Amino acid sequence: MTESTPRRYTGVRQRHSKGCAQAQACKCKWAFVAEAVHAGRRVQATGSGFSSAREASKARAAALADLQRHPVAKRGQTVAGYLASWLERKEATGSLRPSTARAYGSHVTLYLVPILGAVKLADLNVSHLDHLRDELRRTRPGMSAATTTRVFATLRSALRDAFRRGEITDDPTRRMERIKTTRPRVEVWQPADLGRFLDWAEMKGERLASVVEFAAMSGLRRGEVLGLRWVDVDLDRARLVVAQQAVRVGAEVLVGAPKTAAGEQRVVDLDAGTVARLRMWRARQEAERAEFGEAWQDFGLVFTWQDGRPLNADDLTKRFPKLIERFNEDRRLSLLAADAPERMTMMVKDPARMALIARCDALAGPPLSKQKFHALRHLQASLMLASGAPMALVSKRLGHSSIVLTANTYTHLLDGVGAQAATAAAALIPRRSAGVS
């Protein structure tokens, strides 16, 4: 090679130490520089300390391949670092509902970072996901499959964002083994159970009786009931619009859009009985407003306390099961009154409660099963399906994201409805004789 012939750039060079003659073969170490360009951005990787040009070239080729696979990701960026920046971007853009942001943050802090945080984002693979699943099983044996699925859903959302941004070239969650979950069977009251409870609660003067009845007859979610405003209710047309919900995030109550896009601004038709109850409730609320005067707090909400203060989630979540327990206790005392009135008199010192137990026919019959407030929404769905309403209509009324969710949740009906449907179907077939000999 002549002196005028330029050397071909290989990205590999020998780094001679001071005092090296360089005129003959030496043992100075070799180094490399690898560069790649992605979307107009130059990224670089370097290495040194190799004993030969061959070793440096081999290391450079591996580094160059790595740069091409992970062109944008910061060198050495960990899963913990990326998840932190991902959450910051999500919260900054306002694309998450407050409750979702809190759930994501909880999943990242409690599960993902402690188990996967130290792993480099570019190195994350299916084996790490298997390790996450195994560690959750080992360290949290009481965690349900549904909760585990939500943790992985958070990680999947983050990695899909990383893939979209070009920070990783592969999303391992696409190839992970699906976590098997079974949707719990929805158990609801029979219509007679709801009627007995409401009769007892009204005789008792329970303020939340109207809220319970409205939730059961409208199918609104708890947050949608709490956030319902009078401006969203049209009693003359017997309908309402679900425009917002009130959710509790930590100690703070936030008002925002309904849970799903399908649930937002949906129209819910009301039956005549519910409309009449709402008119009575509004008259009661106006009387309370006049009684409290300037001390009454006007939030424009339908369901409030006497002074206008909004109800919160705990008022419904905790109070409703306790009311069921109180109903069953009153029922037990009513049976005791028939068998041993003297003993019942000794146990109950409140004259008003004594009078209620004595005259409340709703206490006759079996005890009521334990229910959560959310079960009232399920009850409305079952009532609608039992009335013959199409699944698509029920799904739209509930604000489900898809009709599949509705069908999977309510694969069963109220007692006797299946038999009624079978009888009605059989009646469609013309036969000469009414019976079979």
Side-chain angles (χ1 to χ4, degrees):
M1 179 181 294
T2 64
E3 293 184 359
S4 61
T5 303
R7 292 185 177 182
R8 183 171 60 88
Y9 176 71
T10 62
V12 173
R13 67 184 182 88
Q14 192 173 23
R15 303 181 66 175
H16 297 282
S17 60
K18 291 182 179 180
C20 179
Q22 300 185 26
Q24 55 187 1
C26 64
K27 295 183 179 181
C28 293
K29 301 298 182 181
W30 289 77
F32 75 82
V33 176
E35 293 184 343
V37 177
H38 176 74
R41 177 180 175 183
R42 185 180 297 276
V43 288
Q44 185 182 85
T46 61
S48 61
F50 301 96
S51 58
S52 67
R54 182 184 297 274
E55 288 185 6
S57 296
K58 185 176 180 180
R60 180 180 181 272
L64 187 59
D66 185 59
L67 284 177
Q68 292 170 345
R69 285 196 304 269
H70 314 293
V72 179
K74 296 178 180 178
R75 308 302 298 168
Q77 184 182 41
T78 62
V79 171
Y82 177 76
L83 289 176
S85 62
W86 171 70
L87 280 177
E88 288 178 2
R89 286 196 304 272
K90 285 287 188 181
E91 293 175 354
T93 58
S95 59
L96 295 179
R97 301 177 191 275
S99 56
T100 304
R102 186 187 185 199
Y104 280 179
S106 177
H107 296 161
V108 168
T109 303
L110 298 179
Y111 312 120
L112 298 178
V113 168
I115 299 175
L116 298 179
V119 178
K120 290 184 178 181
L121 180 63
D123 295 337
L124 193 65
N125 56 42
V126 175
S127 296
H128 293 108
L129 303 186
D130 291 341
H131 174 67
L132 171 62
R133 181 197 57 213
D134 294 341
E135 280 297 291
L136 290 177
R137 290 174 178 172
R138 183 182 67 82
T139 60
R140 294 169 175 81
M143 178 182 286
S144 67
T147 301
T148 303
T149 300
R150 286 191 287 270
V151 171
F152 273 93
T154 298
L155 179 61
R156 183 182 299 110
S157 179
L159 293 183
R160 284 181 179 176
D161 188 62
F163 182 78
R164 179 185 63 82
R165 296 167 61 87
E167 300 200 28
I168 56 175
T169 59
D170 176 54
D171 175 9
T173 61
R174 296 183 300 176
R175 299 188 308 281
M176 65 174 287
E177 182 180 357
R178 186 185 182 119
I179 300 174
K180 296 182 180 180
T181 59
T182 55
R183 181 174 292 276
R185 179 180 173 85
V186 174
E187 300 292 345
V188 298
W189 278 346
Q190 295 300 305
D193 295 332
L194 177 63
R196 291 170 59 206
F197 175 84
L198 292 176
D199 288 343
W200 167 83
E202 288 184 357
M203 291 183 66
K204 184 176 179 293
E206 173 58 47
R207 185 178 186 85
L208 294 184
S210 296
V211 186
V212 170
E213 182 174 14
F214 174 80
M217 301 311 297
S218 67
L220 266 63
R221 298 179 177 90
R222 181 188 62 186
E224 294 169 348
V225 172
L226 296 174
L228 184 64
R229 303 169 298 182
W230 283 115
V231 70
D232 300 322
V233 181
D234 189 340
L235 295 179
D236 294 330
R237 300 178 64 187
R239 60 175 50 181
L240 61 85
V241 176
V242 181
Q244 64 178 27
Q245 68 169 345
V247 295
R248 185 167 185 171
V249 180
E252 188 177 5
V253 177
L254 302 177
V255 176
K259 182 178 180 180
T260 63
E264 191 172 356
Q265 296 297 323
R266 75 182 187 276
V267 176
V268 177
D269 294 307
L270 304 174
D271 64 278
T274 300
V275 170
R277 297 279 184 179
L278 285 175
R279 291 189 188 278
M280 294 171 59
W281 178 264
R282 186 166 63 179
R284 177 180 180 178
Q285 194 179 70
E286 289 300 322
E288 292 168 347
R289 179 199 294 266
E291 179 181 354
F292 276 85
E294 294 182 358
W296 203 84
Q297 303 178 45
D298 189 359
F299 290 91
L301 297 174
V302 173
F303 296 107
T304 65
W305 291 113
Q306 291 90 333
D307 60 355
R309 285 181 299 113
L311 302 176
N312 63 52
D314 285 346
D315 294 330
L316 305 183
T317 302
K318 296 181 179 180
R319 179 66 176 167
F320 181 54
K322 289 181 179 178
L323 286 174
I324 298 174
E325 293 178 2
R326 189 64 176 266
F327 174 95
N328 288 333
E329 177 64 15
D330 282 358
R331 173 190 168 275
R332 187 182 70 83
L333 291 174
S334 71
L335 296 177
L336 185 62
D339 298 334
E342 300 83 3
R343 184 180 174 189
M344 198 274 281
T345 304
M346 294 176 60
M347 295 177 63
V348 181
K349 302 299 183 182
D350 183 2
R353 188 180 183 189
M354 284 276 291
L356 170 64
I357 293 173
R359 72 176 191 275
C360 185
D361 295 335
L363 296 175
L368 297 178
S369 62
K370 295 181 180 179
Q371 297 282 311
K372 296 180 180 180
F373 187 84
H374 189 74
L376 297 171
R377 174 173 162 86
H378 296 322
L379 177 57
Q380 165 63 192
S382 295
L383 290 171
M384 291 288 290
L385 292 172
S387 70
M391 186 70 72
L393 176 61
V394 177
S395 181
K396 184 177 180 180
R397 181 179 180 86
L398 297 178
H400 280 169
S401 57
S402 72
I403 192 173
V404 175
L405 173 62
T406 312
N408 289 342
T409 304
Y410 305 108
T411 54
H412 66 291
L413 299 175
L414 295 171
D415 289 349
V417 173
Q420 295 172 14
T423 301
L428 298 175
I429 302 175
R431 299 296 300 276
R432 292 183 178 181
S433 60
V436 177
S437 58

